[in-house]
Amino acid sequence: MATLKVQRPNGTKDVVPSQMYKWNTVEALVKSHAEAYGFKEIRIPTFESTSLFVRSVGDTTDVVQKEMYSVSATGDEGYTLRPEGTAGTIRALIENGLLNDGLPQKLFYVLSCFRHEKPQAGRLREFHQFGVEMAGTKDPRADAEVISLAKSILDVAGLRNIQLNINSIGCPECRAQYQQALKDYFTPHIDKLCDTCHTRLEKNPLRLLDCKSEICSEIAKDAPSILDHLCDDCRGHFEKLQGYLTAMGIEYKINDRIVRGLDYYTKTVFEFVSEDIGSQGTVCGGGRYDGLIETLSDKPCPALGFGMGLERLILTMENQGVEFAEEESCDIYIGSMGDAAAVKAMQICRALRADGVRAECDVVGRSVRAQMKYADKLGAKFSVVIGDSELEAGKAALKDMKSGEQNDIPLDDRFGSVFNALLISRALEDDGLEDALGGLLSE
Ligand code: ATP
Ligand code: MG
């Protein structure tokens, strides 16, 4: 039978072990910051009822119209792989009664999202988002806090040239007026607009500002500004937010063209854009969605959040030459010659691992030479080889793989404590401790 060569689906990625340290770095970074800001982690299903996304993301959006992966199994229809994290998280907030549990509720997540898009750098069909949602406050201080969290993460990640763009897209009242102004503006250009924008003009003219087609975006340049149509409440909210950002030393630019790709936004919308990853430059996008919870639960509850694309974050860090936390390598390789020594190596390994030491021994049946080659490949910090004579003497030579320095180490219960103390002294670069250990090692 011919072998079947199966490749990963277009627009998906494998993260091989040698690249995992980048993911571990950014995931640890976003989680620690979210926790510092008081957000609690939530996990939600990978798929949800399609109607959830249609109702919350909006049926005139690209996401709902073109990008959803709907899944079905026999007798089990109407589900879609989540294209974003907000809808599912808000559903879970409502369904689990968390909104009765003290407000604001502050949640964060790291999850995969699925969108049927044209794959390119920074645009995948399966990608990962870190996101936060805060429910139960309409105060602009919350907007400032959420923006401040995203900004802290991008700063600590070491990114430069990241621009924060903010805008207000108003509330249903003032937006209705603005939608009419947009309709009046675009209608004379109707023949030049793309097909999708014909529908948008009819159903939701605001979406025209988010169209990626060249002609539509060119026409959109001179469209009226939402900022000239905000009601007093929305204008006051936007001004207060700007005051808080300034007070926190967060630089921003007002960009009245940002509407964001999802229908649920109201008032504040924002994006952090990088100039270093080409046209897919939006690393983080978010805003307020004061009407969403009511749409899904009949109970009004203002809320806001953002989503940060982790592939784009990593790509920007790579392009800017930012250092990721170093990958941890093997602490010690315990080589052996002969059956009795192999058993000893396994026993020592087991004890060391119980103490959290990254210890390895031969599980293949290789020669000592091949074992040492493998230890090199693993990047082991130390190695030791046990044979009959070492077993008899009850000690073996522990080798520092970097300096080549060797010291005897007892092959009994003391092995773990001596080795751990040595590792700590190396980590602290404490020569005094190492001298003291030298005495212990040569006892
Ligand atoms: P874009 O305008 O680039 O299509 P979007 O407005 O569709 O982005 P959101 O729905 O707000 O993006 O998602 C939040 C973040 O998720 C984006 O800022 C981006 O970093 C990331 N993201 C969105 N779509 C993709 C994708 N297909 N591949 C990788 N990351 C993505
Ligand atoms: Mg998009």
Side-chain angles (χ1 to χ4, degrees):
M1 206 169 68
T3 41
L4 179 64
K5 274 206 177 147
V6 182
Q7 295 187 318
R8 62 172 189 265
N10 207 1
T12 64
K13 273 199 170 155
D14 301 311
V15 182
V16 294
S18 65
Q19 294 296 307
M20 267 315 291
Y21 71 101
K22 296 179 182 172
W23 283 87
N24 289 332
T25 303
V26 299
E27 284 178 32
L29 178 75
V30 298
K31 284 186 181 177
S32 65
H33 276 76
E35 280 163 6
Y37 274 76
F39 287 77
K40 304 264 189 282
E41 187 163 14
I42 186 166
R43 299 218 174 153
I44 53 168
T46 308
F47 61 97
E48 299 269 359
S49 292
T50 303
S51 57
L52 174 69
F53 301 117
V54 174
R55 288 190 67 183
S56 53
V57 176
D59 58 0
T60 58
T61 59
D62 275 356
V63 169
V64 167
Q65 286 196 339
K66 307 181 196 164
E67 299 171 2
M68 292 207 300
Y69 280 98
S70 291
V71 292
S72 65
T74 316
D76 199 23
E77 268 163 52
Y79 293 121
T80 291
L81 299 181
R82 60 182 171 224
E84 50 95 64
T86 300
T89 301
I90 295 301
R91 180 210 42 75
L93 259 180
I94 298 166
E95 193 166 337
N96 294 284
L98 299 177
L99 293 173
N100 307 318
D101 229 14
L103 298 176
Q105 282 289 314
K106 295 161 68 168
L107 301 177
F108 82 89
Y109 48 79
V110 174
L111 45 71
S112 50
C113 301
F114 306 85
R115 297 187 191 177
H116 191 260
E117 302 202 70
K118 197 168 146 224
Q120 46 200 294
R123 193 173 292 285
L124 294 151
R125 289 182 173 172
E126 180 184 12
F127 63 98
H128 296 79
Q129 264 186 9
F130 159 66
V132 308
E133 316 295 344
M134 190 186 317
T137 166
K138 60 183 173 58
D139 195 294
R141 275 178 285 202
D143 308 37
E145 185 163 312
V146 161
I147 292 175
S148 161
L149 166 56
K151 168 78 176 150
S152 304
I153 290 171
L154 299 174
D155 282 349
V156 174
L159 298 191
R160 303 173 304 271
N161 309 332
I162 300 275
Q163 167 98 50
L164 165 62
N165 289 318
I166 61 170
N167 190 22
S168 172
I169 57 169
C171 60
E173 279 88 68
C174 52
R175 200 172 328 141
Q177 249 194 45
Y178 179 57
Q179 295 270 45
Q180 188 55 50
L182 283 177
K183 217 171 197 168
D184 296 344
Y185 171 80
F186 281 107
T187 304
H189 299 283
I190 192 158
D191 294 341
K192 288 173 268 170
L193 299 176
C194 74
D195 287 350
T196 325
C197 279
H198 281 158
T199 325
R200 287 171 172 152
L201 187 58
E202 205 43 54
K203 286 174 108 175
N204 188 357
L206 194 68
R207 285 266 75 78
L208 274 146
L209 300 181
D210 201 37
C211 183
K212 303 250 171 8
S213 117
E214 226 170 86
I215 298 180
C216 299
S217 38
E218 190 57 40
I219 298 172
K221 273 188 186 151
D222 295 321
S225 169
I226 175 78
L227 298 178
D228 297 328
H229 291 81
L230 293 181
C231 63
D232 288 346
D233 179 38
C234 290
R235 181 182 317 284
H237 186 97
F238 195 41
E239 278 164 9
K240 277 194 182 140
L241 167 62
Q242 292 171 51
Y244 295 136
L245 292 177
T246 305
M248 287 195 284
I250 299 173
E251 283 178 30
Y252 62 88
K253 201 176 133 201
I254 297 174
N255 179 346
D256 63 3
R257 297 292 104 158
I258 309 180
V259 295
R260 309 287 314 132
L262 315 171
D263 261 2
Y264 48 60
Y265 288 112
T266 49
K267 291 195 170 132
T268 312
V269 287
F270 61 91
E271 290 183 351
F272 285 88
V273 187
S274 153
E275 291 155 12
D276 290 297
I277 51 171
S279 56
Q280 270 40 269
T282 311
V283 177
C284 173
R288 186 166 269 288
Y289 45 86
D290 288 345
L292 178 62
I293 295 180
E294 190 171 12
T295 314
L296 300 174
S297 73
D298 293 332
K299 264 204 213 141
C301 180
L304 69 161
F306 68 71
M308 188 178 281
L310 295 183
E311 281 82 1
R312 289 192 198 175
L313 177 59
I314 291 174
L315 196 62
T316 317
M317 290 169 79
E318 286 171 344
N319 288 359
Q320 296 191 355
V322 170
E323 304 249 327
F324 292 86
E326 236 174 80
E327 198 177 5
E328 279 295 335
S329 59
C330 167
D331 294 319
I332 180 168
Y333 188 91
I334 304 174
S336 59
M337 215 176 351
D339 290 344
V343 170
K344 188 76 186 171
M346 287 170 78
Q347 289 168 335
I348 295 175
C349 248
R350 181 170 152 79
L352 287 174
R353 287 165 171 170
D355 272 349
V357 174
R358 292 162 201 264
E360 293 284 335
C361 62
D362 181 44
V363 289
V364 180
R366 287 184 173 124
S367 69
V368 172
R369 218 175 106 91
Q371 288 178 40
M372 287 304 118
K373 225 172 135 184
Y374 183 65
D376 250 345
K377 192 149 203 169
L378 290 177
K381 296 180 190 124
F382 292 88
S383 71
V384 62
V385 178
I386 309 172
D388 287 343
S389 52
E390 282 79 10
L391 283 181
E392 208 166 295
K395 60 183 181 182
L398 179 71
K399 183 176 167 189
D400 181 325
M401 297 287 272
K402 212 160 157 196
S403 64
E405 196 186 321
Q406 301 210 17
N407 280 295
D408 277 350
I409 186 163
L411 292 179
D412 53 28
D413 293 350
R414 288 170 296 170
F415 192 105
S417 50
V418 170
F419 182 71
N420 259 318
L422 190 68
L423 263 187
I424 292 167
S425 84
R426 285 293 147 95
L428 298 173
E429 291 176 14
D430 183 342
D431 291 341
L433 185 57
E434 203 153 314
D435 283 348
L437 267 168
L440 194 74
L441 285 165
S442 54
E443 256 171 31

